[in-house]
Amino acid sequence: MNARTDMDGFDAASRAPARTPPHATHKLRLLLKREFWEHKGGFLWAPVWAGGISLLLTLMALVMAEVGLRRTVTEHGGLRVDGQVIVNGLDLSLMTDKMSPEDLQKLADGVSMSTATAMFWPLLALGFVVFFYCLGSLYDERKNRSVLFWKSLPVSDRDTVLAKAASALLVAPALAVAVGIACMVAFLLVLSVFVLLHHGNPLTLLWSPGNLLANAGLAIAAIPVYALWALPSAGWLMLCSAWARSKPFLWAIMLPVFAGVFISWFDLLHLFDLQSSWFWKHVVAHLLGGVFPGSWFGVTDLGIFKDGHFGHMAALRTMYATLATPQLWIGVAAGVVMITASIRLRRWRDDN
């Protein structure tokens, strides 16, 4: 009797083991997945389409350049380079053989900067995606009433808002940088075909480690700087998204702009020995344009060119020197306050 009772208890315990509560990071991961799948078009496909269009335009430009070169050879019998006539068209090996070391360095800098511009369009798309994602992150769920469903789940308002902020400041930039690096590789492949057609060596002209790897490393290193710099912008847009009953875009734009007009009109910053332009540059522009990558350049006085040449380490130092500026950390503190206010508004906001 006792043995059977013990056996029954053992079977019941084995069938229903004690469950441990899920870790907080598990909830955050699920929330991040939710944000990604709901906004996959903006987070992933917008940078992909932007990069694809830029590659298509690059390919069209190279085709037009090739047609123009062949027409020049046909009409004039060849190209003239350093007094020599090249009958078969552009010969890159002949041109590079006659270059001085300084000219070769300038060529390498030009190729490196041209390769870096292949990331411009995906990163530009990132700015618009993050802007409108933050602006609609808390407003859209109230508009379509889906907030009632999400509030019924065992997920706090804090976790939900923080997941949205992390999606805008970390997930979206990481995806845009990955797409930008892929665009750089595709750009170099297209240029390699052009170089091979004109008797050049793409491995020495294009695929140097200081070209692709340095540009990719610089873009990856910019993600944490972007997250901190864009935090006040994301906080402001999410605050407007949580507060506005309608037209959050107009509220997000009008309030900083009208504040700037009011301050400029009455010259209120004169009391602090500051010009009105300071408010427009450090408050209005930062709130509305901080989500665009690279908007932090100009805050520090360091340059990205050394001895007339583009330097990746100089660009890295300039970028991370922004972390030592009061403007960035004041903005971070303001962003934290605005995101905290967004959490409170989401908890109590009811448009009924």
Side-chain angles (χ1 to χ4, degrees):
M1 184 78 176
N2 293 335
R4 184 172 182 177
T5 303
D6 294 339
M7 185 62 70
D8 292 340
F10 176 80
D11 292 340
S14 62
R15 287 195 301 269
R19 287 191 175 184
T20 58
H23 196 268
T25 56
H26 179 68
K27 287 186 178 181
L28 179 61
R29 186 168 65 251
L30 293 178
L31 289 172
L32 292 176
K33 286 183 178 180
R34 165 210 165 185
E35 295 299 324
F36 172 75
W37 288 112
E38 286 190 353
H39 302 88
K40 188 177 180 180
F43 287 169
L44 179 62
W45 293 115
V48 168
W49 278 106
I53 292 173
S54 68
L55 289 174
L56 179 61
L57 294 176
T58 300
L59 183 60
M60 293 173 59
L62 289 175
V63 170
M64 293 177 63
E66 183 69 19
V67 172
L69 286 173
R70 295 185 180 276
R71 183 177 301 172
T72 301
V73 171
T74 303
E75 294 178 356
H76 302 285
L79 295 173
R80 186 173 295 274
V81 178
D82 292 338
Q84 298 184 6
V85 177
I86 306 174
V87 178
N88 294 325
L90 181 63
D91 193 327
L92 292 176
S93 62
L94 179 61
M95 293 180 64
T96 53
D97 289 341
K98 294 181 178 295
M99 286 184 176
S100 63
E102 184 178 354
D103 292 335
L104 289 175
Q105 182 61 45
K106 290 181 179 179
L107 176 62
D109 291 340
V111 171
S112 181
M113 295 188 69
S114 299
T115 307
T117 57
M119 293 192 295
F120 172 77
W121 290 105
L123 294 181
L124 180 64
L126 167 68
F128 287 102
V129 167
V130 172
F131 184 94
F132 288 103
Y133 166 76
C134 292
L135 197 58
S137 59
L138 300 175
Y139 172 77
D140 290 343
E141 65 179 9
R142 299 199 324 270
K143 183 179 179 181
N144 58 25
R145 312 302 296 169
S146 64
V147 66
L148 300 177
F149 168 74
W150 294 113
K151 280 181 175 290
S152 66
L153 299 179
V155 180
S156 65
D157 296 285
R158 181 201 61 189
D159 293 341
T160 301
V161 174
L162 291 180
K164 291 177 182 294
S167 298
L169 299 174
L170 294 174
V171 176
L175 291 174
V177 167
V179 173
I181 294 174
C183 287
M184 282 199 302
V185 175
F187 178 75
L188 289 175
L189 289 174
V190 172
L191 286 184
S192 297
V193 175
F194 182 81
V195 169
L196 286 172
L197 289 175
H198 295 283
H199 316 291
N201 186 353
L203 294 179
T204 57
L205 291 177
L206 303 176
W207 295 90
S208 61
N211 184 4
L212 179 62
L213 296 180
N215 285 335
L218 190 63
I220 294 172
I223 294 177
V225 180
Y226 173 83
L228 293 173
W229 182 262
L231 182 57
S233 298
W236 168 248
L237 295 172
M238 293 180 72
L239 179 61
C240 292
S241 182
W243 172 78
R245 292 186 179 275
S246 63
K247 301 177 179 61
F249 176 79
L250 293 180
W251 287 109
I253 298 296
M254 286 192 306
L255 289 178
V257 170
F258 284 175
V261 172
F262 183 81
I263 288 174
S264 299
W265 194 357
F266 293 99
D267 198 15
L268 297 180
L269 293 183
H270 181 70
L271 300 174
F272 304 96
D273 294 329
L274 295 174
Q275 299 294 327
S276 300
S277 58
W278 182 92
F279 184 85
W280 287 98
K281 178 181 179 180
H282 295 282
V283 178
V284 179
H286 197 167
L287 282 180
L288 301 180
V291 293
F292 290 91
S295 57
W296 56 79
F297 283 111
V299 177
T300 56
D301 295 331
L302 300 178
I304 62 175
F305 291 92
K306 183 179 180 181
D307 299 330
H309 302 299
F310 176 77
H312 293 91
M313 291 304 299
L316 184 65
R317 286 193 300 268
T318 301
M319 181 170 61
Y320 272 84
T322 309
L323 300 179
T325 59
Q327 179 183 349
L328 181 136
W329 294 109
I330 293 173
V332 168
V336 171
V337 171
M338 288 185 285
I339 289 178
T340 303
S342 301
I343 295 172
R344 301 286 295 181
L345 282 172
R346 187 183 188 269
R347 183 175 303 166
W348 304 111
R349 192 62 157 159
D350 187 2
D351 288 347
N352 291 329

